[in-house]
């Protein structure tokens, strides 16, 4: 049997930061005079920030202008960093990563965030993170739902993407997994419902990292 | 044909306040030393505050003590009022209520909130609200998912509950509608997915009040 490997999303998958990101994007859009319902922002979280703003502007009929997109991205980073002190790791996140290390299973983190916003979030997961590949939006041309982040992550852990499993909380993770030809595991901890994750291609859905840890033996991990 | 009537939930249904309520409950729980993932709070929003705290404490294995529940409720009200300035009406909310008035269709609002937190939210909907029944948690023994709020609201508008349609954004609204023997219409604007609302009994799901307004002629409203 081939070596298994897990490629994790970060926000909403290992760390409880989705709702802070949602309100930070909402705030950033309001600062530019763009009114949008908060749930619509939530449903776009996890994709590339540029794509997110593009899609939201298109929905509201506001002109898509590169300088404005840049500005909204900067407002978001600023607002998120203001909320970041309230962010906590998700239940079981550190334990799940430690269990994979103990079983000798390679893993990496692949996030649509830039390193600037990802860094404080990564720090919540402890030192184990520094011994594994971290792929951020800075390193690829296209973030999720494009497959690039997961393709680079698989390469870094030295596993063929077809043998890797993507773990994420958003529909965009599951779509990127399908486009990369990886398996997808959905976690509900970002606030998406089970059915939405399954429709987007998740072959299994768990509540959160603790739920996944509890079912590791179903996922090809033998300790 | 019988007179139709609509019984609206407030938060997430007419007003974009769910995410502020979620973070306010999360903050209130943290102040009492109770750590809980934010998405789990989101999934409980819309039910009675007492029930919400009871269920969350049970999940975390913390002792359920009435003084503590009272305290958490007070922390929540305080935190929510701090966020309330950022709350906006949902797209189409005022227009939907005005269209029902123009068509002579009775309607009411029934919310699990106490009047203290509901008041600033109601004010966002304009003067029309003052000419219609508003039923809050203060007036019933049990809030949602118990049917009491909608039963009182139907009585106030003078329509049999079997002829009324409940409009809400949460699973708890849909369950309360079923228990009351009313029809349920789900709106996605509180952040629940379409499938979750349908599973809880919604016979139709729309994105938000604007989406429902656009389909009023499917719902027994003739202008």
């Amino acid at each position: 049997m081939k070596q298994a490997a897990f490629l994790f999303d970060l926000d909403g998958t290992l760390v409880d930061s989705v709702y802070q990101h949602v309100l930070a994007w909402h705030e950033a859009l309001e600062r530019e005079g763009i009114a949008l319902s908060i749930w619509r922002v939530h449903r776009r979280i996890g994709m590339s920030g540029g794509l997110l703003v593009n899609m939201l502007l298109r929905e509201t009929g506001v002109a898509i202008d590169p300088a404005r997109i840049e500005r909204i991205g900067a407002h978001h980073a600023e607002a998120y960093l203001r909320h970041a002190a309230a962010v906590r790791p998700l239940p079981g996140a550190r334990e799940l990563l430690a269990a994979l290390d103990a079983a000798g299973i390679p893993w990496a983190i692949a996030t649509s965030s830039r390193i600037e916003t990802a860094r404080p979030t990564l720090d919540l997961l402890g030192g184990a993170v520094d011994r594994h590949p971290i792929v951020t939006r800075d390193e690829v041309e296209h973030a999720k739902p494009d497959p690039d982040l997961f393709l680079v992550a698989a390469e870094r852990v030295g596993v063929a993407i077809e043998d890797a499993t993507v773990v994420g909380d958003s529909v965009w993770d599951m779509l990127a997994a399908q486009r990369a030809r990886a398996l997808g595991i959905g976690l509900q901890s970002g606030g998406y419902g089970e059915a939405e994750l399954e429709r987007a291609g998740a072959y299994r859905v768990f509540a959160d990292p603790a739920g996944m840890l509890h079912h590791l033996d179903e996922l090809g991990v033998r300790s």
Side-chain angles (χ1 to χ4, degrees), chain A:
Chain A
M1 199 180 126
K2 295 276 189 56
Q3 171 71 72
F6 292 92
L7 312 176
F8 289 95
D9 168 57
L10 180 59
D11 295 290
T13 298
L14 295 169
V15 176
D16 196 5
S17 52
V18 163
Y19 290 75
Q20 285 86 358
H21 272 296
V22 169
L23 289 180
W25 279 115
H26 188 252
E27 215 178 300
L29 290 160
E30 278 219 335
R31 271 183 69 179
E32 286 289 311
I34 299 156
L36 203 86
S37 307
I38 302 179
W39 72 282
R40 293 195 188 268
V41 178
H42 188 187
R43 285 291 175 283
R44 295 289 149 66
I45 283 287
M47 58 162 54
S48 126
L51 264 193
L52 176 147
V53 175
N54 259 343
M55 290 181 68
L56 295 178
L57 293 184
R58 207 184 312 132
E59 265 181 33
T60 46
V62 173
I64 296 171
D65 140 30
R68 170 175 245 167
I69 292 177
E70 187 86 5
R71 227 159 40 228
I72 295 173
H75 294 335
H76 162 262
E78 193 225 291
Y80 178 74
L81 293 176
R82 233 185 307 118
H83 293 297
V87 171
R88 310 275 174 267
L90 279 161
R94 282 159 169 257
E95 295 80 355
L96 172 61
L97 300 177
L100 294 177
D101 280 342
I105 307 281
W107 57 266
I109 293 177
T111 171
S112 288
S113 286
R114 296 201 175 273
I115 188 66
E116 158 197 26
T117 38
R119 194 65 253 173
T121 316
L122 287 163
D123 290 342
L124 295 169
L125 295 171
V129 162
D130 301 326
R131 298 188 301 274
H132 293 267
I134 310 293
V135 190
T136 67
R137 205 261 167 275
D138 313 274
E139 295 165 69
V140 294
E141 198 178 341
H142 300 294
K144 304 168 199 170
D146 280 278
D148 310 23
L149 281 161
F150 293 124
L151 293 173
V152 171
E155 207 180 290
R156 296 259 182 92
V157 296
V159 167
I161 187 70
E162 294 80 6
D163 299 323
T165 301
V166 162
V167 185
D169 68 299
S170 83
V171 157
W172 316 111
D173 293 309
M174 298 303 104
L175 299 182
Q178 290 203 61
R179 286 173 64 180
R181 307 296 187 269
L183 278 180
I185 290 178
L187 302 186
Q188 292 175 266
S189 35
Y192 274 92
E194 198 173 9
E196 289 174 279
L197 294 167
E198 285 172 354
R199 260 171 88 176
Y203 95 108
R204 288 291 271 153
V205 175
F206 303 108
D208 55 17
M212 178 174 161
L213 174 59
H214 196 67
H215 291 267
L216 263 190
D217 41 10
E218 301 168 22
L219 304 172
V221 178
R222 280 164 188 83
S223 47

